[in-house]
Amino acid sequence: MTDKELIDTAIRYRENSYSPYSKFKVGAAVLTKSGKVYGGCNIENASYPVTNCAERTAIFKAVSEGEKDIEAIAIVADTPGPCAPCGACRQAIAEFKIPRTIMANLKGDTRVVSLQELLPFAFSDEDM
Ligand code: THU
């Protein structure tokens, strides 16, 4: 699976975004080392903090299927530049040591960063 295919999957899942409050649709897709793909979208709630971001939806879908070894995650929104993951999602990306994060937007802009670039000085199991 190419980065472009993973981004296209995230774009498809973005259409399922449940975002009646922000109206900001986000899609994500993860590629596992075994070659499986799990997509996700943001799911909002009238109690705003209960909202789940697209990235964490996709990661939690993979992990709940027993697929913890993830090699890449793509994130897409209709943003001016490639859509960056929020801090909480960076922490979830760090938890599963996802080595490549692919940020994208609907115009075709992309940026690929390593885990170290995405979240330097991350808190992890090694700190406990
Ligand atoms: N959102 C994501 O899905 N991922 C991010 O990394 C940033 C924010 C969602 C949460 C909320 O539904 C909407 O975007 C606006 O913050």
Side-chain angles (χ1 to χ4, degrees), residues 22 24 26 42 44 51 53-55 84-86:
S22 74
F24 185 70
V26 186
N42 55 329
E44 298 187 344
T51 293
C53 290
E55 300 91 310
C86 78

Side-chain angles (χ1 to χ4, degrees), residues 25-44:
K25 296 179 177 192
V26 186
V30 299
L31 174 65
T32 69
K33 291 198 175 130
S34 63
K36 296 204 177 97
V37 175
Y38 297 90
C41 60
N42 55 329
I43 304 169
E44 298 187 344

Side-chain angles (χ1 to χ4, degrees), residues 17-28 41-45 48 51-57 75-77 83-90:
S17 168
Y18 176 74
S19 42
Y21 307 104
S22 74
K23 319 265 194 239
F24 185 70
K25 296 179 177 192
V26 186
C41 60
N42 55 329
I43 304 169
E44 298 187 344
N45 194 287
Y48 292 0
T51 293
N52 208 59
C53 290
E55 300 91 310
R56 280 175 291 135
T57 302
I75 303 128
V76 182
C83 184
C86 78
C89 290
R90 289 177 199 217

